Amino acid sequence: MQVTETKKKSFLSGLTGQILIAMVLGAALGITLHHYISPEAALSFSNKIKMLATIFIRLVQMIISPLVFTTLVVGIAKLGDIKTVGRVGGKALGWFFTASFISLLIGLFYVNILEPGVGINLGHVDMASATEVTGKTQNLSFENFVEHIVPKSIVEAMATNEILQIVVFSIFFGLAAASLGNTVKPVIGALDKMSHIVLKMVNYVMNFAPIGVFGAIAGVFAIRDAEELIITYFKFFGSFLLGIGTLWVVLVAVGYIFLKGRMTELLRRIVGPLAIAFGTTSSEAVFPKLTEELENFGVKDRIVSFMLPLGYSFNLDGSMMYMTFASIFIAQFYKVDLDLGTQMAMLLVLMLTSKGIAGVPRASLVVVAATCGMFKIPVEGIALILPIDHFCDMFRSATNVLGNALATSVVGQWEGNEETEVVSES
């Protein structure tokens, strides 16, 4: 009895418990204000209270660039040579593209079977609200995608938190450092110490997580009638949840296949990062905390520092599932007939265009709008899903975190087994 009470106290006083309490309190405050104050006052309150979430996310963003650069360079230097980097990178990309393809297929399956866009009545949709998103699609092309990968300035990439560009520079820097051997050990040692300082900063920043989650949730519920949204978008949201739930089952099942009983420990460790991602709708906000938890889980720091930055650009499983689902939902609403071949072509386009835009605000919607334009689906249809998008984003952000934690853990285990085999042979 005493042990149970102690566990309850430690859970409620821990970060995860505080975040869950903040979510409940934020929702209660937002819903109450929505019903008892004017829409203008609610909007003003929402803009102000969301600043709490903005402050928290900006605190996290300020340490992402130095964390990615220092940990990735040190990780590559510790990997030792280009052959090892190529081996780990090959495994990582193989996993990422397989997971992305499966996620896209799950979205494709459920949107075709359940047809949430057929017969839906959305007469009060504000088409003008889509302008902010559709305006960004003109910059989304293959040429821009390639240019987006390669940085023209590492300073600019760090200033704008372009994770993929930082990764590219860090890989070149790390490989060059590894090739120079002992002469650059002082530099690698200094970067290693710097990474530990940044990780210490993570602990300080995470203390603000419950406050940020409270602000984000309260701000949304103050201006959104949750009941009305759920009733209006019941079929869309229910179908989406079924798809994201299936994706979770697949990811967890794959985790148990590769990690066996350790998968339970992994899930326990990432509950906090999952809650933060769910509350703030930002998988980027948990990057530093997830790094720490995966290292505590037993994945070597050089694997974590190499895998996670790549995963944040190439392995957004929840977002991938949503992209096919939302694109075909809009086509169904406008009665645009897409045969299976066209849908598979759309799937491949999404697979390519979605990579490396994690730093773009509302990246999933931008990609969906651009894809709709390519396949002659009305781009303004993006306005259909804007009212419910925040709630969908909560689930897809958490799913992105689960996918990256799983990918890093499995590749870390593969590398550990390979190193053991090499030692045994020698």
Side-chain angles (χ1 to χ4, degrees):
M1 182 70 178
Q2 192 173 359
V3 174
T4 305
E5 288 178 1
T6 305
K7 283 184 178 178
K8 284 182 180 178
K9 284 181 182 177
S10 63
F11 175 76
L12 291 175
S13 61
L15 181 64
T16 305
Q18 291 171 12
I19 289 168
L20 294 177
I21 292 169
M23 289 173 67
V24 173
L25 292 177
L29 177 62
I31 291 169
T32 302
L33 291 176
H34 180 79
H35 285 95
Y36 288 100
I37 63 177
S38 68
E40 293 77 14
L43 180 60
S44 176
F45 168 80
S46 176
N47 291 335
K48 288 181 174 64
I49 198 74
K50 279 183 180 177
M51 288 300 295
L52 295 176
T54 302
I55 290 168
F56 168 67
I57 291 173
R58 287 176 75 93
L59 282 171
V60 174
Q61 288 174 332
M62 77 176 181
I63 56 180
I64 285 179
S65 292
L67 182 64
V68 171
F69 174 69
T70 56
T71 56
L72 188 52
V73 169
V74 172
I76 291 172
K78 287 182 179 177
L79 283 174
D81 55 53
I82 195 166
K83 183 180 177 183
T84 307
V85 173
R87 185 182 72 236
V88 177
K91 289 175 181 176
L93 292 177
W95 180 284
F96 294 160
F97 279 95
T98 302
S100 294
F101 189 70
I102 291 171
S103 301
L104 288 165
L105 281 179
I106 289 174
L108 194 70
F109 173 79
Y110 278 106
V111 76
N112 278 292
I113 294 297
L114 301 175
E115 297 186 325
V118 176
I120 191 171
N121 182 21
L122 298 173
H124 300 289
V125 173
D126 179 15
M127 291 298 179
S129 60
T131 307
E132 178 191 348
V133 175
T134 56
K136 296 173 185 173
T137 61
Q138 60 189 4
N139 297 322
L140 197 63
S141 64
F142 180 75
E143 291 80 5
N144 288 53
F145 165 69
V146 173
E147 289 174 4
H148 186 81
I149 292 176
V150 183
K152 60 182 178 181
S153 165
I154 185 57
V155 176
E156 181 187 43
M158 286 187 165
T160 54
N161 268 340
E162 292 285 358
I163 293 181
L164 187 55
Q165 294 185 9
I166 298 170
V167 167
V168 171
F169 178 84
S170 301
I171 289 173
F172 277 100
F173 192 98
L175 288 173
S179 68
L180 292 173
N182 293 331
T183 56
V184 294
K185 270 191 175 180
V187 176
I188 301 302
L191 289 174
D192 194 17
K193 288 181 175 64
M194 184 178 171
S195 70
H196 283 89
I197 294 172
V198 177
L199 284 171
K200 187 64 178 177
M201 290 173 64
V202 171
N203 294 326
Y204 302 147
V205 170
M206 284 302 132
N207 291 327
F208 292 90
I211 300 171
V213 169
F214 174 80
I217 297 293
V220 170
F221 279 100
I223 58 174
R224 298 280 190 197
D225 191 327
E227 295 173 11
E228 185 181 326
L229 278 177
I230 290 172
I231 292 169
T232 305
Y233 286 91
F234 177 78
K235 193 175 180 183
F236 174 84
F237 195 53
S239 302
F240 166 74
L241 289 182
L242 189 57
I244 214 77
T246 302
L247 181 54
W248 270 68
V249 170
V250 171
L251 288 172
V252 172
V254 169
Y256 275 105
I257 290 171
F258 287 103
L259 300 175
K260 307 293 191 295
R262 296 192 70 220
M263 183 63 191
T264 304
E265 183 192 348
L266 176 64
L267 290 173
R268 181 179 61 79
R269 285 193 173 277
I270 64 172
V271 166
L274 288 172
I276 296 171
F278 185 82
T280 61
T281 66
S282 172
S283 48
E284 188 182 61
V286 303
F287 181 93
K289 182 66 175 174
L290 190 59
T291 299
E292 187 178 30
E293 290 295 345
L294 288 173
E295 288 180 1
N296 291 336
F297 177 65
V299 185
K300 292 184 176 178
D301 56 354
R302 57 192 177 85
I303 300 296
V304 175
S305 61
F306 186 77
M307 286 289 298
L308 268 191
L310 283 178
Y312 268 69
S313 294
F314 289 94
N315 191 44
L316 302 173
D317 298 334
S319 298
M320 300 300 287
M321 179 265 156
Y322 182 75
M323 286 175 196
T324 43
F325 188 90
S327 300
I328 297 175
F329 166 81
I330 295 170
Q332 290 173 351
F333 179 85
Y334 285 105
K335 298 180 175 59
V336 177
D337 186 41
L338 300 172
D339 57 40
L340 184 59
T342 304
Q343 290 189 29
M344 292 305 293
M346 179 185 286
L347 185 148
L348 293 175
V349 167
L350 285 167
M351 173 84 84
L352 294 174
T353 55
S354 62
K355 304 307 178 191
I357 62 160
V360 179
R362 286 187 155 174
S364 298
L365 292 179
V366 174
V367 174
V368 168
T371 305
C372 286
M374 290 180 199
F375 289 88
K376 311 303 180 191
I377 302 167
V379 176
E380 62 271 17
I382 203 76
L384 300 170
I385 56 178
L386 278 177
I388 199 75
D389 181 69
H390 181 91
F391 299 98
C392 295
D393 201 8
M394 296 169 80
F395 288 92
R396 63 180 187 251
S397 295
T399 307
N400 293 340
V401 172
L402 173 66
N404 278 317
L406 177 60
T408 304
S409 301
V410 171
V411 172
Q413 180 168 286
W414 286 345
E415 280 301 298
N417 292 340
E418 190 155 328
E419 286 175 5
T420 303
E421 289 173 9
V422 170
V423 171
S424 300
E425 287 173 7
S426 58

